[in-house]
Amino acid sequence: MARLPRLTSAPVLAGALVVFTLLAAGPLRPYDEMFQGYWAKHYTPNWWMFLDTVPNAVAGQAVCLPVLAAVAIFLAWRHRTWHPLAIVVAAEAGFYGGVGGLKVLLGRTAPAAGEGDFWEGGPFAHGWYGIAYPSGHAAEAVLIYGAAAYLLISYTGPDSRLRRRLTWLVGLIALNAIVVAFYLGYHWPTDLVAGLLAGGLVLRVMVDLDRALARRGLPFGWSYRLPTFSRPEPVAAPETHRPQPVPVPAAIWLRTHPFDLPKPSVTNLQPLTAAWSAPVPGQPTRTLPERELLITR
């Protein structure tokens, strides 16, 4: 079965979200007020509308949900299974029930509506500006696009390159969501970090439940199976008869391979010394023809 890169477990993410929420409600409040600002309107007022309608909308429901639905419908039609569509329903239920439930329960006011107090806002007091924590866009970037990546990994086999590319793509989308939202000033900084943790937690729980159902099955005898992939065994190359070299006549071999002649042995050669040119008593002395001509004169 294809595996989603396991960054951490659900209990660890849940504990991190609880601890971070306690810090955001107390020690981190001054830092929220220090770093929050409407930076886009202050530094790039002409780009404010573009940032709000294009980069900030990538992590919104109007964009991420159609992307997830398109991936799920394509895989469901190709593999003749309802499983991808069930993942879409589970992701939406997790977002509205998990992340949305936290937003309503904590009731933190957004920078446009209050001072960022917890349990002071809520949808009834401030509408959408009363449920800022955790950030919905940051959570959607991780949860919805992460669910699409999980479906692609599950139905395309254990391709490590595809896993890395999808992981980087989801990470870039999440980074875009928090940077643009911070630059526009829509959220407190801790809202954005908490949105990443909340989205990752819901995604982790959804994937773990999906794999558990795939292993154990559904009640009433219903089947619930994910596609399995196995690496093909390497096939040994068939043995082939190697042709033996054909003997070649020596004359042809000498003409065609003049540089392959055997080299003379140098084991018996002696070093050249001056004693070789010294006259030896009792032996005739060899002279060069030029030398003889000079002597006869």
Side-chain angles (χ1 to χ4, degrees), residues 101-267:
L102 282 176
K103 294 168 76 70
V104 175
L105 177 64
L106 297 176
R108 188 186 196 184
T109 54
E115 301 297 329
D117 297 325
F118 285 83
W119 304 288
E120 294 291 339
F124 299 103
H126 303 285
W128 293 108
Y129 296 103
I131 48 176
Y133 187 94
S135 169
H137 274 51
E140 286 174 321
V142 176
L143 173 58
I144 305 301
Y145 288 104
Y150 172 66
L151 286 177
L152 291 173
I153 293 173
S154 299
Y155 284 92
T156 53
D159 188 350
S160 59
R161 292 178 300 177
L162 178 62
R163 287 200 302 269
R164 287 195 299 268
R165 291 171 182 174
L166 290 176
T167 302
W168 277 104
L169 180 59
V170 174
L172 290 176
I173 293 175
L175 180 63
N176 167 78
I178 62 175
V179 169
V180 173
F182 171 76
Y183 189 63
L184 290 172
Y186 289 165
H187 280 281
W188 305 102
T190 52
D191 297 346
L192 303 172
V193 178
L196 298 179
L197 293 174
L201 174 60
V202 176
L203 176 64
R204 186 75 265 170
V205 171
M206 183 188 69
V207 172
D208 290 342
L209 290 177
D210 185 57
R211 291 173 177 171
L213 290 175
R215 289 192 302 266
R216 301 176 184 178
L218 293 174
F220 309 108
W222 290 6
S223 62
Y224 189 95
R225 295 181 180 179
L226 290 177
T228 56
F229 301 92
S230 59
R231 296 184 180 274
E233 296 293 335
V235 180
E239 296 184 359
T240 57
H241 177 69
R242 298 182 61 182
Q244 298 298 325
V246 180
V248 181
I252 299 177
W253 182 80
L254 290 176
R255 288 199 305 267
T256 55
H257 301 279
F259 298 102
D260 293 340
L261 294 175
K263 298 179 181 180
S265 176
V266 295
T267 56

Side-chain angles (χ1 to χ4, degrees), residues 9-191:
S9 61
V12 174
L13 285 173
L17 181 59
V18 171
V19 172
F20 190 79
T21 301
L22 295 176
L23 294 175
L28 296 181
R29 286 285 302 279
Y31 297 97
D32 274 340
E33 298 176 358
M34 181 186 307
F35 293 108
Q36 193 281 329
Y38 297 96
W39 311 112
K41 292 183 178 180
H42 181 72
Y43 292 106
T44 55
N46 297 330
W47 288 84
W48 176 84
M49 186 62 66
F50 170 77
L51 295 174
D52 182 41
T53 56
V54 179
N56 189 52
V58 172
Q61 284 281 312
V63 178
C64 64
L65 182 57
V67 171
L68 176 59
V71 171
I73 292 173
F74 172 75
L75 293 176
W77 171 80
R78 184 170 184 178
H79 295 272
R80 301 298 190 269
T81 175
W82 294 97
H83 170 256
L85 302 181
I87 293 296
V88 176
V89 175
E92 284 295 296
F95 174 72
Y96 284 104
V99 180
L102 282 176
K103 294 168 76 70
V104 175
L105 177 64
L106 297 176
R108 188 186 196 184
T109 54
E115 301 297 329
D117 297 325
F118 285 83
W119 304 288
E120 294 291 339
F124 299 103
H126 303 285
W128 293 108
Y129 296 103
I131 48 176
Y133 187 94
S135 169
H137 274 51
E140 286 174 321
V142 176
L143 173 58
I144 305 301
Y145 288 104
Y150 172 66
L151 286 177
L152 291 173
I153 293 173
S154 299
Y155 284 92
T156 53
D159 188 350
S160 59
R161 292 178 300 177
L162 178 62
R163 287 200 302 269
R164 287 195 299 268
R165 291 171 182 174
L166 290 176
T167 302
W168 277 104
L169 180 59
V170 174
L172 290 176
I173 293 175
L175 180 63
N176 167 78
I178 62 175
V179 169
V180 173
F182 171 76
Y183 189 63
L184 290 172
Y186 289 165
H187 280 281
W188 305 102
T190 52
D191 297 346

